[in-house]
Amino acid sequence: MALLGQRPRLATAPPPGPRPLPGLALAALGVMAAWVTHALVPAVPMLTAAVVLGLAAAHVPGVRAVVRGRAKAGLSLAGKRLMRLGVVLLGLKLSLDDVLGLGWATVAMVLGVVAATFFGTWWLGRRMGLPGDQPLLIATGYAICGASAIGAVSEVSESEERDAAVSVALVTLCGTLAIAVLPLLQGPLGLSDVEFGRWAGASVHDVGQVVATAQTAGAGALGDAVLVKLMRVAVLAPLVAAVALSLRARSAARGAGTTGKRPPVLPLFVAGFMGMVAVRSTGWVPDSALAVTAHAQELLLAAALFGLGTAVDLPTLTRTGGRTAALGLSAWVVVAGVSYLGVMVTA
C-alpha cells in the first residue's frame, strides 16, 4: 500500500528494441547506388554491385559505426525478410512450359550439374574445415542460383548471418569473374553460340551474371542461357525441402521425445516461390505485370544483398580466407567442367 501523499509507482514498459528504419533507409541508399553503378557500367549486374557496396559500407570509417550500430537491425531485417520476398517473386520468372521446352536430355544434364556441384562442393568444404554452415551455403550458391539460394537455405538451416554473408560474398566474386573469363573460353573450347549460352546458364551462379555473360554471344545464346539457368532455379524448392528434412531427422535423432522447434519441411516463402511458378505457368499474367514484378524482385534482392554485404567482417574473413577462396575456386572448376561435359553430351 502506498504511503499517504506518495504516488503509486506505475509499471514501466520494457525499453523498445532497436528500430529497423535507419538500416532500411541505408539499404535503400545502397540499392540506389547499385542501380547507378549498373547504369554507368552495364557489365556489372545490379545485385553484384549491391553486395560490393554493402561490404564497402561495413568498412568505411564513419559509415562502419552506423552499420554496426543504429542501422544493424534494419540491415539484418533486409538480409532476411526482403530476401524471402525476392525469392517468392523469383518464381514468376519460371514456367513449366519453359522447363519442358528444354527437352529431357537438357533437364537431365542440369540436374546432374546441380547434384555434382552441390555434393562435391559440400564434401570438399567439410574436408577443408570451413566453419559453421559455410560448406552447405557455398555448395548451394554454386549449384543453384547464387545469393538467392544461399538466402533460402540459410533461413531453413538457421545459419549465422556471418556464414551467409561470407558465402554470398564468395559466390558473387566468382560469378563476377565468370562474366569476364567465360567469353574468352568460347573459341578455345570450340563452343557454338547456343552451346556457349547453355554452358553459361549451367555454370554461372546469379541470373544477372548469366545474362551479362551470355549476351556476348548474341540473342540465341542469351535465350538458351536464361532457360537453362531458370531450370537450375527450379531445383531450389526441392533442395530447401531436402535440407529441412535432413535437419528434422538430425534433430529427432539428437533429442527423441523432445518438443524443440523443428524447421518446416516446406517453408512458407518456398511455397510462395512454387505458387508463383504455378501462376506463371497458367499464362494469365500479362507481360506488363511480369515486367513490374521483375523490377520489384531485383530491388528486393539488391536490398537484401546490400544488407548481407554489411555483415561481412574482413578481419574475421581473413582467418579462413585462404581455405574459403580455395573452396570457391575448386567449386568454380567443378561446375564449369561438369556443365561443359553436359553441354557437349547433349549438343
Side-chain angles (χ1 to χ4, degrees), residues 282-310:
T282 64
W284 298 342
V285 184
D287 291 341
S288 57
L290 291 175
V292 171
T293 55
H295 286 301
Q297 182 251 345
E298 189 171 30
L299 292 175
L300 287 169
L301 289 183
L305 293 180
F306 180 86
L308 285 176
T310 61

Side-chain angles (χ1 to χ4, degrees), residues 310-325:
T310 61
V312 177
D313 183 60
L314 290 180
T316 302
L317 181 60
T318 55
R319 298 171 191 169
T320 58
R323 286 177 291 163
T324 304

Side-chain angles (χ1 to χ4, degrees), residues 35-344:
W35 181 83
V36 170
T37 301
H38 174 64
L40 295 176
V41 188
V44 178
M46 181 175 171
L47 300 186
T48 300
V51 175
V52 174
L53 289 169
L55 194 151
H59 296 85
V60 172
V63 182
R64 175 186 172 89
V66 177
V67 167
R68 304 299 185 196
R70 293 173 54 206
K72 184 175 181 179
L75 291 171
S76 180
L77 178 67
K80 294 180 180 179
R81 305 297 181 183
L82 298 187
M83 176 68 77
R84 291 181 182 182
L85 293 175
V87 170
V88 170
L89 293 181
L90 185 62
L92 285 174
K93 292 181 176 289
L94 182 65
S95 73
L96 296 178
D97 289 339
D98 292 337
V99 174
L100 296 177
L102 291 173
W104 291 111
T106 302
V107 171
M109 181 269 289
V110 171
L111 293 177
V113 169
V114 169
T117 304
F118 177 80
F119 288 108
T121 303
W122 177 77
W123 176 84
L124 186 58
R126 293 289 298 273
R127 290 295 299 268
M128 294 173 67
L130 263 66
D133 288 335
Q134 288 184 27
L136 171 66
L137 299 180
I138 292 171
T140 301
Y142 274 84
I144 308 294
C145 54
S148 302
I150 291 173
V153 171
S154 66
E155 287 288 322
V156 175
S157 60
E158 297 183 349
S159 304
E160 292 187 13
E161 189 175 25
R162 180 183 65 248
D163 290 341
V166 169
S167 302
V168 165
L170 178 64
V171 170
T172 300
L173 173 61
C174 289
T176 303
L177 292 175
I179 298 173
V181 173
L182 262 61
L184 300 178
L185 299 177
Q186 180 182 359
L189 293 177
L191 294 170
S192 67
D193 289 346
V194 171
E195 291 170 346
F196 175 75
R198 294 194 171 199
W199 184 45
S203 61
V204 182
H205 318 313
D206 181 76
V207 176
Q209 294 166 344
V210 169
V211 171
T213 304
Q215 57 86 27
T216 60
L222 180 58
D224 274 45
V226 172
L227 287 178
V228 171
K229 177 60 191 175
L230 292 179
M231 176 61 208
R232 288 170 66 195
V233 173
V235 186
L236 177 61
L239 176 64
V240 171
V243 170
L245 284 171
S246 175
L247 292 174
R248 285 168 66 94
R250 190 182 310 169
S251 176
R254 281 201 305 259
T258 62
T259 58
K261 180 182 178 182
R262 296 188 298 174
V265 175
L266 191 66
L268 183 60
F269 70 96
V270 177
F273 168 83
M274 297 175 64
M276 292 298 101
V277 173
V279 169
R280 174 65 188 273
S281 300
T282 64
W284 298 342
V285 184
D287 291 341
S288 57
L290 291 175
V292 171
T293 55
H295 286 301
Q297 182 251 345
E298 189 171 30
L299 292 175
L300 287 169
L301 289 183
L305 293 180
F306 180 86
L308 285 176
T310 61
V312 177
D313 183 60
L314 290 180
T316 302
L317 181 60
T318 55
R319 298 171 191 169
T320 58
R323 286 177 291 163
T324 304
L327 177 61
L329 292 175
S330 300
W332 194 15
V333 171
V334 169
V335 68
V338 173
S339 58
Y340 173 75
L341 292 176
V343 168
M344 291 293 95

